[in-house]
């Protein structure tokens, strides 16, 4: 990671000190205890012809980028298609170097129905994507991120606050994306970083009994508000966890490390977990081995699926 100008470093260090002092004393903001968020509807073109509902897939491309295909939907998360040696901008003059290549190139992407974006940061929506992604592709993210996306010319963006929901309809199939709480680091530092969201993806017509339920953590630490996720959305079938133990200036942690990943599994209680976002940039300080060691210590090996870049996990609808 390249260092920022002195003034930016001072601002970050000040925020780190405030955050590290305050994190022990300040109670986390409480989630709105069962209050529903607003619902936004997105209609996508679809033939209405029968689609294969028998199975779905999750393909790991790299960083936090995955392709999810199920019930006629093709969903792309946190698109990052730079290559090894390229740099992304993280704000305040900081950059980070990519250490891996994506499993596929941007040009190899299939037609995308929806982009689910945790937050607007270079390693989640890089400069190549900003330049080349079709401006009409629907994107759902935080309200802060959608403001930045609109300035770039994207025309179908939806900004959500925690517990807000985007209901997507395509050819008779239904997907619900609900924003969940997230915080990108200790309190003082998070104020200097983009707002983040996790998300729950519910596939199927029945909102109370979805055919498949998926949780994507986004770039968050394990905060108290996340305890409400399994209360509102019991029976999560698959969790995609952003790990890596990302550290600003090598000091303050702003994404989950291996131990945090296991804590998140214990809070959210998914049937299966896939770790992502752990080895692609030089700011990632907690390798996958850290998570695997903590998983083994907790006796959770059967609940974790490890995917190499390019590999695909196939899932089946769940009877509830």
């Amino acid at each position: 990671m390249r260092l920022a100008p002195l003034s930016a470093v001072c601002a970050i260090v000040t925020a780190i000190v405030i955050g590290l002092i305050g994190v022990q004393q300040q109670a986390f903001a409480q989630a709105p205890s069962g209050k529903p968020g607003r619902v936004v509807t997105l209609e996508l073109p679809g033939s209405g012809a029968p689609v294969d509902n028998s199975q779905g897939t999750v393909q790991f491309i790299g960083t936090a980028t995955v392709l999810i295909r199920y019930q006629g939907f093709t969903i792309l998360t946190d698109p990052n298609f730079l290559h090894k040696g390229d740099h992304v901008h993280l704000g305040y003059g900081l950059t980070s170097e990519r250490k891996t290549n994506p499993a596929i190139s941007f040009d190899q992407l299939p037609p995308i129905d929806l982009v689910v974006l945790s937050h607007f940061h270079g390693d989640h929506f890089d400069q190549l994507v900003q330049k080349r992604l079709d401006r009409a592709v629907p994107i759902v993210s935080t309200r802060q991120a959608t403001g930045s996306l609109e300035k770039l010319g994207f025309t179908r963006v939806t900004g959500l606050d925690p517990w807000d929901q985007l209901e997507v309809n395509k050819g008779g199939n239904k997907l619900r994306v609900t924003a969940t709480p997230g915080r990108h680091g200790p309190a003082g530092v998070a104020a200097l970083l983009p707002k983040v969201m996790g998300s729950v993806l519910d596939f199927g017509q029945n909102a109370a009994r979805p055919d498949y339920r998926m949780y994507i953590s986004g770039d968050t630490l394990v905060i108290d508000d996340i305890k409400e996720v399994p209360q509102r959305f019991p029976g999560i079938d698959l969790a995609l966890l952003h790990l890596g133990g990302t550290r600003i200036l090598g000091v303050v942690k702003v994404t989950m490390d291996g131990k945090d990943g296991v804590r998140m599994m214990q809070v959210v209680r998914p049937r299966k977990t896939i770790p992502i976002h752990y080895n692609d940039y030089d700011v990632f300080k907690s390798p996958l081995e850290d998570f695997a060691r903590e998983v083994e210590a907790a006796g959770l090996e059967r609940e974790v699926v490890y995917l190499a870049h390019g590999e695909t996990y196939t899932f089946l609808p769940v009877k509830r």
Side-chain angles (χ1 to χ4, degrees):
M1 180 177 71
R2 295 177 182 174
L3 292 180
L6 181 59
S7 60
V9 172
C10 290
I12 294 171
V13 170
T14 300
I16 289 172
V17 173
I18 294 172
L20 292 179
I21 293 173
V23 74
Q24 299 299 325
Q25 301 174 342
Q26 178 181 339
F28 294 127
Q30 294 300 305
S33 300
K35 294 181 181 178
R38 65 191 179 98
V39 178
V40 182
T41 301
L42 173 65
E43 299 289 339
L44 298 178
S47 65
V51 297
D52 183 7
N53 292 326
S54 63
Q55 65 180 31
T57 59
V58 174
Q59 183 183 17
F60 181 34
I61 296 174
T63 320
T65 310
V66 301
L67 268 176
I68 302 166
R69 296 179 173 97
Y70 188 46
Q71 293 188 341
F73 294 101
T74 300
I75 302 157
L76 179 67
T77 70
D78 297 277
N80 183 212
F81 288 90
L82 296 182
H83 284 72
K84 183 176 181 180
D86 291 335
H87 288 78
V88 293
H89 298 280
L90 302 178
Y92 302 98
L94 300 173
T95 64
S96 182
E97 181 182 352
R98 182 152 190 174
K99 312 302 288 185
T100 66
N101 287 316
I104 63 175
S105 70
F106 181 85
D107 292 331
Q108 293 175 304
L109 282 173
I112 302 299
D113 292 309
L114 180 69
V115 173
V116 177
L117 179 62
S118 163
H119 62 296
F120 191 76
H121 232 170
D123 58 329
H124 291 256
F125 202 87
D126 62 48
Q127 56 265 39
L128 182 152
V129 173
Q130 292 178 31
K131 181 179 180 181
R132 299 187 58 189
L133 185 65
D134 185 343
R135 265 40 187 174
V137 169
I139 305 174
V140 59
S141 190
T142 65
R143 287 180 180 267
Q144 183 187 62
T146 54
S148 299
L149 292 166
E150 287 173 341
K151 291 178 181 178
L152 290 172
F154 291 95
T155 59
R156 302 183 72 188
V157 297
T158 302
L160 302 181
D161 292 322
W163 313 123
D164 288 349
Q165 184 179 97
L166 175 66
E167 185 177 279
V168 188
N169 299 297
K170 180 185 179 184
N173 293 299
K174 191 179 293 292
L175 162 69
R176 299 167 189 84
V177 181
T178 304
T180 63
R183 199 182 67 197
H184 208 347
V189 176
L192 293 175
L193 295 174
K195 293 185 181 299
V196 302
M197 75 173 196
S199 52
V200 171
L201 278 59
D202 281 332
F203 294 88
Q205 296 293 332
N206 190 334
R209 301 179 66 184
D211 297 327
Y212 201 78
R213 171 167 283 167
M214 191 179 302
Y215 171 67
I216 306 174
S217 71
D219 275 16
T220 186
L221 299 181
V222 186
I223 62 173
D224 281 357
D225 287 354
I226 291 174
K227 293 177 182 178
E228 195 163 349
V229 172
Q231 296 172 10
R232 291 175 180 254
F233 299 97
I236 292 172
D237 301 303
L238 177 66
L240 306 179
L241 299 187
H242 294 200
L243 303 180
T246 309
R247 291 183 180 269
I248 293 179
L249 300 179
V251 177
V252 63
K253 182 173 62 178
V254 297
T255 65
M256 292 183 288
D257 59 17
K259 184 174 290 186
D260 296 325
V262 169
R263 285 180 58 210
M264 184 67 89
M265 290 176 64
Q266 292 167 337
V267 170
V268 177
R269 301 191 297 274
R271 291 185 174 89
K272 294 291 183 181
T273 294
I274 297 176
I276 58 177
H277 189 276
Y278 53 77
N279 70 338
D280 299 277
Y281 281 91
D282 61 8
V283 291
F284 295 174
K285 302 302 182 183
S286 178
L288 185 61
E289 291 77 12
D290 288 355
F291 177 66
R293 183 174 58 251
E294 297 293 339
V295 166
E296 183 176 1
L300 298 174
E301 301 98 313
R302 293 186 178 182
E303 299 177 21
V304 178
V305 177
Y306 296 99
L307 296 181
H309 289 43
E311 290 186 336
T312 297
Y313 172 70
T314 300
F315 61 85
L316 302 176
V318 176
K319 294 182 179 180
R320 304 184 191 278

